[in-house]
Amino acid sequence: MTMDLPAHAQERLKGLRTSAHSTGVFTSDFSVNEFLLVRKAGFEPIGLCVGTCVYHVGIQYGSWKKNEELTVLSKAMYHARELAMSRMRAEASAMNADGIVGVKLTIKRLEWDEHLLEFIAIGTGVVHGEGHSGFRAHDGGPFTSDLSGQDFWSLLHSGYRPVEMVMGSCVYHVAHRGMFAAMGTTGQNVELENYTSAMYEAREIAIERMSQEASASKAEGVVGVEIHEGSHGWQTHVIEFFAIGTAVLPLDQEIAPDKIADPIMVLSVND
Amino acid sequence: MGFLSWLTRDSDPASIAAREESAKRQEEIVQALRADRVPPSVVRRLQDAASAKRPWIATLTPAELMIARSYGFRPIATVSATCWMSVPEDTSGWMASPANPHFHGWTTALSRLRAEAKAAGANAVIDVKMRSVSIGARDNMDFTLVGTAVKVEGLPPSDEPIIATLPALELIKLLQADIVPTGIVIGAHDVSIPDPRKNKLKILWRENVEYVELSDLMTTARKMANTQMRTNAFEKGRVVLALAHVQFSRILKLEGEGLGPSAYADRARGHVGARYAARHVAIATTIDQGSKKSREDAMKAHSGTVPSHGFTMVVDMHAGKTPLANTTSHHQSYRMNDEEGGA
């Protein structure tokens, strides 16, 4: 399903600019600054790529008193994001993009059904101005990156290229404290060890999964990592730890450093 | 999670094994934290990252990475530390450190973060963010620090890595001025009073008048917290950066009986009724101006391997927020403080 694009999407993509169709119209959500810097980095935007997935999240059973990963929810969050991302990437492949810059991966809760979540991945497909194919991901498909146009330029200038957006998710239930345990600490300043250990385990699982994705994409490192915590309307004590970043590789032979203009380094003294 | 959840829980061998493994890991985490050690699962990840068996992970943006590398910093891994504390609404009487939960929570997290950095063989942790997660439970708070452990090229691993609770770009501004951020200091103070209106029904009815008792209460909390912060900084022999990055305060009316020592003392004196509780938390980044030589040594050690940039200081005329600054949402633990009523 991920590779079979809807007919209207294919029609839309035909009108877009490609490396072989440089006069076509391109769409993007770049700001002017992003657009200019992506071009300065040697790339041309060729079109907006979108992937959507509306997902029904299954029923999760768990224990009130246990710290534990909620695997049904973890799998749902992974699977739905993967579907949205792969559909966006399929659109980029269809327009022969070398990569996708500025990917925004968002989740919307649908108010008429508490079990439905909409996952949206959107970014701008780009091609290398001189047709260099060395920027593609390890599987030959377009690279993906949640970096802005400015960050994309900076990354190339620092000697790295984006390979793949990598992520790790863990939906975790933090155990409720029993009545006696709560009464035992009433009015006291004490560490709540079960909460602390829950944080450690959940965060470690999320980072570990992201790290595994980075290893699988043959990356050297992951840049711009953010760890988000969100509950997406679930019950109290249920929280998703979501680590996301862009896996990178050194440029090596892909682009000559002298082809990238030297920046004027400035530090703002604004508040 | 349902009432009959025990009837339907996964009972296949793989699920059972996963639950057993999780329970074992949690026990290891608790035991390690009690013994002031880094949990074994975290140590394994950090050592793998330090020996390049797995990709490095950095919270830095590419621009930050580029500048950090120009100073010889190499990212190793993301490090994080948590101390989740019970934080009763009425803690008046516990104002002295280290019993204050905000003071204890952040200093414990800081110590754990430093231990993780050491386990990673790092010289520093940069881009450290202060975070808190809410799980919807009352009277508790999560004190979490997340940052990027880095190694400075040419330096051996540090016994006590420095912790820079600043965005990486601001760290560079300080380094440009030969100033090294070294950590954070915290001052926290809780104080409460019995409802002063109890015997003064004539005030605050129709007139515009200052509620002097509450002004004094809040002033006391702020002054004491900031004094404590300064004292802690001097004890560490460091200079505090003037621009403290957290000044959080709130005032609460506690209906019914308070639970803190002050409330007990009041009741012993015959006062029963509502109390007003004020809390102030002040956090600042400490800097070290005496380590210029060591920084120069570090710079010398990597000179020639990483290009160093000449920077031009600019005033950005951008309308609205400047895109050059990246500090807006750096720390979010006390973000509700800007909203009406505080957190």
Side-chain angles (χ1 to χ4, degrees):
Chain A
M1 179 176 178
T2 57
M3 298 306 291
D4 296 333
L5 294 177
H8 61 86
Q10 292 187 33
E11 285 301 312
R12 176 167 63 82
L13 295 171
K14 280 179 190 171
L16 298 179
R17 183 153 69 171
T18 67
S19 53
H21 182 203
S22 60
T23 57
V25 176
F26 77 88
T27 55
S28 99
D29 59 354
F30 282 159
S31 67
V32 171
N33 287 343
E34 280 185 293
F35 171 58
L36 294 176
L37 281 168
V38 166
R39 291 198 71 212
K40 196 72 183 167
F43 286 78
E44 291 285 341
I46 53 171
L48 210 55
C49 315
V50 186
T52 296
C53 170
V54 177
Y55 202 90
H56 177 267
V57 180
I59 295 174
Q60 172 74 60
Y61 298 103
S63 169
W64 175 269
K65 290 197 298 183
K66 267 192 168 178
N67 281 342
E68 61 183 353
E69 181 177 12
L70 302 177
T71 51
V72 174
L73 297 183
S74 283
K75 286 174 186 169
M77 301 305 282
Y78 247 112
H79 188 213
R81 283 192 181 104
E82 183 59 34
L83 288 174
M85 287 288 292
S86 59
R87 286 168 189 165
M88 176 188 68
R89 204 160 176 247
E91 282 205 8
S93 293
M95 64 175 78
N96 206 23
D98 290 322
I100 312 170
V101 177
V103 174
K104 296 178 187 73
L105 186 55
T106 54
I107 302 173
K108 280 199 324 199
R109 191 174 169 74
L110 301 182
E111 58 190 39
W112 66 86
D113 189 331
E114 64 184 63
H115 296 293
L116 292 185
L117 292 171
E118 182 186 10
F119 294 75
I120 306 155
I122 186 166
T124 298
V126 296
V127 289
H128 190 263
E130 296 177 6
H132 203 303
S133 61
F135 287 92
R136 295 196 164 219
H138 69 286
D139 61 359
F143 70 80
T144 52
S145 161
D146 62 349
L147 304 174
S148 66
Q150 291 92 330
D151 280 344
F152 179 59
W153 182 91
S154 302
L155 184 71
L156 292 178
H157 186 78
S158 61
Y160 289 95
R161 65 182 177 91
V163 180
E164 184 179 330
M165 266 176 81
V166 289
M167 57 192 91
S169 172
C170 173
V171 183
Y172 204 87
H173 175 254
V174 181
H176 289 75
R177 302 173 69 220
M179 186 174 66
F180 292 112
M183 286 174 64
T185 58
T186 299
Q188 295 179 42
N189 298 330
V190 290
E191 180 172 8
L192 306 176
E193 289 180 335
N194 63 322
Y195 287 8
T196 301
S197 66
M199 289 285 286
Y200 267 86
E201 191 187 25
R203 197 168 48 217
E204 204 58 29
I205 290 171
I207 293 175
E208 177 70 31
R209 286 175 181 162
M210 183 180 68
S211 182
Q212 284 173 359
E213 283 200 3
S215 295
S217 67
K218 318 286 184 199
E220 182 194 284
V222 185
V223 73
V225 170
E226 290 192 40
I227 299 174
H228 300 279
E229 299 92 8
S231 75
H232 307 299
W234 296 318
Q235 294 178 17
T236 60
H237 286 244
V238 177
I239 196 159
E240 182 196 26
F241 287 82
F242 181 54
I244 187 166
T246 294
V248 298
L249 271 173
L251 277 172
D252 288 332
Q253 303 297 318
E254 278 82 7
I255 187 169
D258 58 2
K259 284 204 166 186
I260 302 174
D262 286 334
I264 298 170
M265 306 299 287
V266 299
L267 287 173
S268 169
V269 291
N270 291 48
D271 286 331
Chain B
M1 252 154 290
F3 177 66
L4 297 177
S5 59
W6 59 275
L7 281 175
T8 50
R9 294 198 71 194
D10 295 339
S11 54
D12 58 289
S15 298
I16 292 170
R19 283 201 294 274
E20 287 174 352
E21 190 185 337
S22 171
K24 185 182 166 201
R25 197 162 48 223
Q26 286 175 56
E27 183 58 25
E28 284 179 348
I29 290 169
V30 170
Q31 294 304 326
L33 296 180
R34 281 180 184 167
D36 290 332
R37 287 186 283 106
V38 180
S41 54
V42 181
V43 172
R44 283 192 291 275
R45 173 172 64 82
L46 295 176
Q47 289 179 343
D48 281 354
S51 59
K53 285 183 187 164
R54 63 168 72 201
W56 49 262
I57 294 177
T59 56
L60 309 176
T61 66
E64 291 169 334
L65 176 69
M66 178 168 61
I67 297 172
R69 281 202 59 206
S70 75
Y71 275 83
F73 295 157
R74 284 201 169 271
I76 303 172
T78 295
V79 285
S80 54
T82 291
C83 177
W84 204 311
M85 295 282 295
S86 66
V87 182
E89 284 187 339
D90 178 13
T91 57
S92 53
W94 278 304
M95 62 279 287
S97 64
N100 187 291
H102 293 262
F103 182 90
H104 184 78
W106 286 125
T107 49
T108 303
L110 197 60
S111 163
R112 289 173 181 171
L113 190 77
R114 188 169 276 124
E116 284 202 11
K118 191 176 172 186
N123 299 114
V125 187
I126 64 175
D127 196 34
V128 177
K129 297 179 177 78
M130 304 171 78
R131 309 279 292 267
S132 290
V133 174
S134 171
I135 54 169
R138 291 184 62 204
D139 292 354
N140 62 77
M141 182 169 166
D142 154 42
F143 300 89
T144 289
L145 298 169
V146 180
T148 299
V150 296
K151 184 165 172 45
V152 180
E153 288 173 357
L155 290 186
S158 303
D159 278 343
E160 194 165 340
I162 65 166
I163 310 290
T165 46
L166 290 169
L169 292 178
E170 296 201 345
L171 168 68
I172 299 304
K173 288 180 198 173
L174 286 180
L175 293 178
Q176 284 285 306
D178 287 332
I179 296 169
V180 179
T182 52
I184 56 174
V185 281
I186 299 144
H189 192 84
D190 288 8
V191 60
S192 73
I193 55 171
D195 187 352
R197 287 181 298 183
K198 190 174 174 64
N199 301 315
K200 294 181 185 177
L201 292 176
K202 62 183 180 184
I203 68 162
L204 299 176
W205 170 227
R206 290 192 310 184
E207 300 168 26
N208 291 336
V209 290
E210 182 185 7
Y211 202 151
V212 177
E213 290 85 352
L214 294 192
S215 295
D216 289 346
L217 184 70
M218 212 56 250
T219 303
T220 302
R222 287 200 176 101
K223 276 187 177 172
M224 293 298 288
N226 280 292
T227 300
Q228 187 191 45
M229 184 178 74
R230 279 196 297 274
T231 305
N232 290 333
F234 285 129
E235 281 173 1
K236 289 182 178 179
R238 291 165 180 163
V239 180
V240 182
L241 185 65
L243 299 174
H245 53 66
V246 173
Q247 287 284 337
F248 166 83
S249 59
R250 73 165 196 183
I251 190 161
L252 282 180
K253 184 178 182 182
L254 303 173
E255 300 290 353
E257 297 181 349
L259 293 166
S262 299
Y264 284 113
D266 280 346
R267 280 198 290 280
R269 289 195 293 269
H271 172 83
V272 178
R275 298 179 63 79
Y276 285 94
R279 167 173 295 159
H280 191 81
V281 180
I283 303 174
T285 296
T286 54
I287 56 174
D288 191 343
Q289 291 178 308
S291 61
K292 183 177 174 183
K293 185 176 179 309
S294 60
R295 197 179 72 77
E296 285 174 348
D297 289 345
M299 293 290 288
K300 256 183 227 165
H302 74 261
S303 63
T305 58
V306 180
S308 187
H309 305 297
F311 286 86
T312 304
M313 305 298 277
V314 298
V315 177
D316 184 3
M317 303 297 284
H318 193 88
K321 284 189 296 185
T322 171
L324 294 175
N326 186 28
T327 58
T328 316
S329 58
H330 195 71
H331 302 297
Q332 51 88 291
S333 287
Y334 297 99
R335 61 186 162 182
M336 297 293 284
N337 198 31
D338 294 334
E339 297 175 11
E340 189 175 346

